Amino acid sequence: MIPAIVVDDVAADRYIARRRLAKSQAFAPVEESPDGASFLERFFTDGGLTATLSGAQSPCLVLMDINMPGMNGFETLEEMQRRIHALPGKGSEVLVMMYTSSDNPLDKSRAADFPIVRHYIVKPLSDASVAQIIEECRSARLH
Amino acid sequence: MSPGQLNLPAPPPAPDPARDPTRDPTLAGLATYRLALDLCPIPMALTRPDGIIAMTNSAMDHLFDFAPDELPGCSVDRLVPSSIRGSHHILRAAYNRVPTKRAMGHGRDLFGITRRGREIAVEVGLDAVDIGEETWTLCSVIDISERKASESRLMAALNASASAMILVDGTGAIQLVNNAACALFRATHDTLVGRPVEDLIPRGSRQSHAVYRTGYFTKSTPRPMCYGRTMMACRLDGTEVPVEIGLAPIMGAQGQCVMATISDVSARIAHDEEIFERTEALSALNEELTQFAYSTSHDLKAPLSTISGLLEIALEDLEAGELDECRATLRDSLDTSRRYSAKVEAIFALASAGTAPAEVTRIDVAAEIRGIWARLSAGTDRASLFTLDCDSGPGLRIAAAPFRIIVENLLSNALRFRRPGNAEHSVTVTVRTGADGLDMQVADTGTGISEENLPGIFGMFRTYSPQSGHGIGLALVAKHIRLLNGRIDAFSSPDGSSFSVWLPLELDASEPGTRNSGNAP
């Protein structure tokens, strides 16, 4: 199973993502964070998500929204990368996919600059997008 | 002595016929010079050490309008303008002390005076000749009136040019400048002429310029200097000015020269820079508008994407017979669409703000603020302490509708951004009425605004915390205040945030009017 976490300030969008991932039966556990700060706290705190992921065979999928109050998606990713660099060996455990309704070329370009970002998914999340995500995660199996 | 009369020394004694020229070296020399002068087409005169003219030739007589044999016996001072005649003997005496062959009045314009008093521009050559035991002076005089007139016409033409023009000879010395060059370099003709042209080049480029100049003289064709690139010229006071320079070779009396035509391009460069800055500003504005369009597009599209996603799930639940799930999803969808509707209305309110004149009416400011607070706080489940300190009485003339929008948004924010878990939350509104305006401060003890977010809070769609709304309220407040020619400032501290607003008041009219500082969208 592929562990996943949805980072989005809109509860309905988190619900949609959760339902779409659940429908594929390929993701578990599926976590949610309503903003970047709470995601970072859960992901990097000892005993938090990183501990959950330690036994996973697949990298963790992070669906990251861009436009969020407080830290936006890009600021969250910058901080995430900074912390990952401080934890050698942790980078391969994460596959980030932007999950946004923005089709701004600047956002797409900026997302492409993050090495840990694999795809740019425009909302709403479709079954086809989920199938693509599963393929991506399986090709990057850890064990 | 009356004008025209000259007090001249006595003419030399007439030659003694008894003297034999073949035995008298003086007479032999004079005869030789007599013959030479008669044969010479150039006006010439032979003068004694005391300045008395011993002989002239016909060209000399003709140049100065004298009859033959009229000048011999006269002082040569008779032929110089009256302005320097009195001191001419000093110059003659100086020459007599060092009688060498040279041009007279080197570097100065010389003039002769004719018998009729007409001044003529001349060049005078002096040559010492030995006559017997004395040293006499052989003067050659060339009429340069025509040349001077040509030069004068040339200078007039050069001075008519708006471009600075500088003539430089093969040694790099400035031979001629026009008035525009003097103006450009803030110098006089005298201070520029004769000076090395490198003095007008910035200090760091002088050596290389001398090399380029020498190279140009060896193969000179008309061309722009630095091939059209703007270069700097240096004034004598050290200030620099951007110029464009054209070079043209000229073969002059002094040999090969180069005429440099210099245009001051500082105004053009300033204009270009202004255009460039405007273009940059417009480009930035265009980019900002593009991003604004994307941002607006995103903010309008996001709820539709959510509704679309929810409806797809609701449909799946319906087909699967999961009616409770379906019902809950439809409710979420409905909530999203309602919020979306409110957002669209907020955007419309922002877009339409100022499109119609705001009606100025008499309102009770305190009552208005209390009413808005009552309505807003009724919709919350947590109590807040509200304090209003207002010194204005009823009947203040103000643009009422914008005022209500401003108060409503500021109070809404003050109510919403409370500290999590903080039981005590207070909002204080202070109003002070001045001579021509109203000062209002809305302060709260909420979360405050971080220093990095403070500058951007009046922008559209700026949201910084989960308590944020659509990110339109403060943009709407700022737009109304701008249209009313008012001011707003935001402050934040660990104790909360405060907004300080100043709005102009209508003081003189007794009837309701309208106030609208513009119809900016």
Side-chain angles (χ1 to χ4, degrees):
Chain A
M1 297 296 275
I2 304 165
I5 181 163
V6 184
V7 187
D8 199 313
D9 60 311
V10 180
D13 286 340
R14 294 199 302 271
Y15 175 71
I16 294 167
R18 177 184 280 277
R19 284 290 302 267
R20 284 279 161 256
L21 296 178
K23 187 179 176 185
S24 71
Q25 297 183 332
F27 296 87
V30 177
E31 305 273 348
E32 294 180 22
S33 281
D35 55 71
S38 65
F39 161 73
L40 291 171
E41 190 178 343
R42 292 187 64 184
F43 195 85
F44 288 101
T45 303
D46 286 345
L49 201 59
T50 46
T52 308
L53 299 176
S54 61
Q57 294 189 328
S58 173
C60 177
L61 167 70
V62 176
L63 290 179
M64 180 70 73
D65 187 18
I66 293 176
N67 293 286
M68 295 185 287
M71 293 176 81
N72 66 28
F74 293 128
E75 289 163 346
T76 306
L77 286 178
E78 281 168 5
E79 178 61 17
M80 185 179 178
Q81 280 199 160
R82 192 186 66 76
R83 295 195 194 184
I84 283 175
H85 286 151
L87 297 170
K90 289 289 180 189
S92 60
E93 296 174 351
V94 185
L95 282 184
V96 177
M97 310 218 177
M98 304 314 292
Y99 175 53
T100 175
S101 51
S102 166
D103 55 1
N104 187 340
L106 277 184
D107 283 343
K108 291 179 179 176
S109 164
R110 195 171 169 193
D113 290 339
F114 285 93
I116 56 173
V117 173
R118 292 299 183 94
H119 279 298
Y120 190 98
I121 299 166
V122 178
K123 293 176 183 177
L125 190 58
S126 66
D127 290 339
S129 295
V130 172
Q132 191 181 3
I133 291 170
I134 293 170
E135 187 65 31
E136 189 81 35
C137 290
R138 287 188 173 151
S139 68
R141 286 180 73 87
L142 297 175
H143 305 291
Chain B
M1 185 176 70
S2 62
Q5 287 183 313
L6 294 171
N7 184 15
L8 299 176
D16 182 357
R19 290 173 68 182
D20 181 358
T22 57
R23 295 181 182 176
D24 186 333
T26 302
L27 290 179
L30 285 175
T32 303
Y33 282 107
R34 177 75 269 165
L35 180 61
L37 261 62
D38 286 343
L39 291 174
C40 181
I42 296 171
M44 297 191 82
L46 185 63
T47 63
R48 299 174 187 276
D50 57 3
I52 298 299
I53 298 170
M55 65 176 73
T56 61
N57 64 1
S58 60
M60 184 77 174
D61 297 337
H62 183 258
L63 177 63
F64 286 91
D65 293 331
F66 281 91
D69 297 330
E70 197 173 356
L71 277 173
C74 295
S75 170
V76 75
D77 297 348
R78 169 69 181 82
L79 302 179
V80 301
S82 57
S83 58
I84 60 164
R85 189 175 294 157
S87 57
H88 189 242
H89 69 280
I90 299 171
L91 301 173
R92 278 193 288 103
Y95 176 78
N96 285 339
R97 281 195 290 276
V98 189
T100 55
K101 181 176 182 176
R102 62 177 171 84
M104 184 173 155
H106 181 70
R108 288 182 286 118
D109 287 337
L110 292 184
F111 293 92
I113 193 86
T114 67
R115 188 172 187 273
R116 295 186 178 90
R118 181 172 59 92
E119 275 196 357
I120 49 174
V122 291
E123 275 184 1
V124 178
L126 302 176
D127 200 0
V129 294
D130 292 330
I131 302 293
E133 293 178 353
E134 290 181 329
T135 300
W136 291 18
T137 304
L138 186 62
C139 311
S140 59
V141 183
I142 298 174
D143 180 2
I144 58 168
S145 300
E146 193 54 39
R147 198 178 85 200
K148 284 288 178 184
S150 296
E151 285 178 2
S152 179
R153 284 194 294 274
L154 174 65
M155 277 312 300
L158 293 180
N159 286 334
S161 168
S163 296
M165 302 180 93
I166 293 181
L167 187 68
V168 178
D169 68 15
T171 68
I174 296 172
Q175 291 295 324
L176 182 149
V177 294
N178 68 351
N179 287 345
C182 295
L184 175 62
F185 289 99
R186 297 175 186 163
T188 62
H189 286 76
D190 291 344
T191 52
L192 287 173
V193 172
R195 184 179 285 272
V197 71
E198 272 74 31
D199 284 359
L200 307 180
I201 302 294
R203 195 168 294 275
S205 305
R206 286 178 185 172
Q207 279 191 317
S208 54
H209 181 268
V211 175
Y212 295 144
R213 175 173 52 74
T214 307
Y216 183 80
F217 269 90
T218 59
K219 187 181 181 183
S220 51
T221 54
R223 66 166 174 82
M225 194 166 161
C226 295
Y227 292 96
R229 280 185 290 114
T230 299
M231 60 177 292
M232 302 302 289
C234 182
R235 298 189 178 103
L236 300 185
D237 62 9
T239 59
E240 295 186 2
V241 57
V243 292
E244 282 182 359
I245 301 177
L247 301 175
I250 289 178
M251 185 53 77
Q254 298 89 354
Q256 174 79 56
C257 292
V258 172
M259 179 67 85
T261 307
I262 306 165
S263 300
D264 178 355
V265 294
S266 51
R268 198 195 73 203
I269 286 178
H271 180 67
D272 288 350
E273 284 174 354
E274 189 182 340
I275 295 286
F276 178 77
E277 284 171 8
R278 282 188 192 175
T279 306
E280 288 285 296
L282 284 173
S283 298
L285 183 62
N286 188 47
E287 177 59 21
E288 192 179 320
L289 283 172
T290 302
Q291 292 309 312
F292 176 76
Y294 274 118
S295 178
T296 308
S297 159
H298 167 264
D299 276 61
L300 293 175
K301 185 183 162 195
L304 291 175
S305 298
T306 303
I307 292 167
S308 167
L310 288 172
L311 290 178
E312 279 177 12
I313 289 171
L315 202 57
E316 288 176 10
D317 288 340
L318 185 64
E319 287 169 355
E322 301 284 352
L323 295 183
D324 289 344
E325 280 289 331
C326 176
R327 196 174 290 112
T329 306
L330 286 174
R331 258 199 307 273
D332 282 350
S333 176
L334 195 58
D335 288 345
T336 303
S337 68
R338 282 176 180 149
R339 278 199 303 277
Y340 175 62
S341 176
K343 185 168 192 171
V344 169
E345 283 174 12
I347 293 171
F348 179 72
L350 179 64
S352 59
T355 53
E359 189 180 357
V360 176
T361 55
R362 293 183 185 281
I363 62 169
D364 184 338
V365 168
E368 290 283 345
I369 294 171
R370 278 199 196 90
I372 292 168
W373 173 261
R375 186 158 37 80
L376 290 172
S377 57
T380 62
D381 53 358
R382 299 171 71 185
S384 298
L385 177 65
F386 178 66
T387 307
L388 174 63
D389 176 8
C390 178
D391 71 351
S392 75
L396 208 60
R397 284 174 55 77
I398 199 165
F403 177 75
R404 290 185 187 112
I405 291 170
I406 291 163
V407 172
E408 186 170 321
N409 279 281
L410 293 179
L411 285 182
S412 171
N413 283 349
L415 197 57
R416 210 153 11 103
F417 288 90
R418 59 189 303 154
R419 293 174 190 276
N422 180 18
E424 291 285 327
H425 181 70
S426 64
V427 176
T428 304
V429 180
T430 308
V431 179
R432 292 288 177 268
T433 313
D436 58 351
L438 176 145
D439 274 306
M440 177 172 67
Q441 191 176 49
V442 179
D444 64 60
T445 57
T447 55
I449 305 159
S450 68
E451 197 175 334
E452 66 266 23
N453 291 337
L454 206 53
I457 57 169
F458 295 109
M460 261 186 86
F461 303 125
R462 300 292 173 87
T463 57
Y464 299 106
S465 81
Q467 294 107 306
S468 299
H470 304 305
I472 294 171
L474 285 180
L476 185 61
V477 167
K479 184 172 180 182
H480 274 300
I481 289 173
R482 191 178 72 246
L483 290 172
L484 293 171
N485 286 330
R487 292 190 303 273
I488 183 166
D489 293 297
F491 307 94
S492 185
S493 73
D495 298 327
S497 58
S498 70
F499 289 83
S500 179
V501 175
W502 181 86
L503 291 173
L505 292 173
E506 294 283 343
L507 297 175
D508 53 349
S510 56
E511 295 299 320
T514 57
R515 170 183 284 276
N516 190 7
S517 61
N519 288 325

